[in-house]
Amino acid sequence: MPMLILATNVVESSITFEHMKYVIDLGNNKQSDHHSNMNMDTLSIQCSNRASADQRKGRTGRKCNGICFRLFTKEMYDNLKSSKETDILHKRLDDLFVTLLEKYNFLNLDFIEAPSQNQVEVSLVRLEKLGYINQG
């Protein structure tokens, strides 16, 4: 029985569906963001990127012939960013900091793409309030 997948970020996983014949790519991603200035997480729909679109197309035809229908033009595809922004730039840092605190002084780490000072400060305050750290 042929499968049809309406593509979201989920279809980009490494899972292979045996009978996936069709993928419909809407050209969107659901993205979780942390806004440190408001101390709030959001889930929003963003334009996809070329790497994601190519990955979605690659989900078809693994075990049988398949087709990817993109619901956007080639011009739109050509104008997409080549890849997504690094997660550290838009995620909460609390979990990362707790992990790093066990082994390192993360404030001295040389990040490839460093989080903003505001992201760091908001996470440190939250961790102190939760009793994970003592900035004293």
Side-chain angles (χ1 to χ4, degrees), residues 37-111:
N37 57 333
M38 297 183 291
N39 196 18
M40 185 172 84
D41 293 325
T42 60
L43 182 64
S44 61
I45 297 175
Q46 311 266 329
C47 285
S48 191
N49 57 69
R50 285 194 306 272
S52 291
D54 293 343
Q55 180 69 17
R56 292 171 186 186
K57 181 180 177 187
R59 294 287 98 200
T60 62
R62 293 190 178 255
K63 300 278 184 173
C64 59
N65 291 333
I67 299 171
C68 177
F69 297 98
R70 290 186 171 147
L71 301 184
F72 50 95
T73 66
K74 179 170 179 356
E75 181 181 0
M76 291 167 73
Y77 172 84
D78 291 341
N79 289 322
L80 291 173
K81 293 179 183 177
S82 61
S83 60
K84 77 176 204 159
E85 188 177 66
T86 308
D87 282 346
I88 198 167
L89 300 178
H90 60 88
K91 299 286 185 185
R92 283 177 58 170
L93 302 176
D94 305 21
D95 294 336
L96 172 66
F97 285 176
V98 168
T99 302
L100 291 175
L101 280 170
E102 294 173 358
K103 297 182 181 184
Y104 310 102
N105 178 353
F106 61 85
L107 296 175
N108 295 329
L109 289 178
D110 186 20
F111 289 101

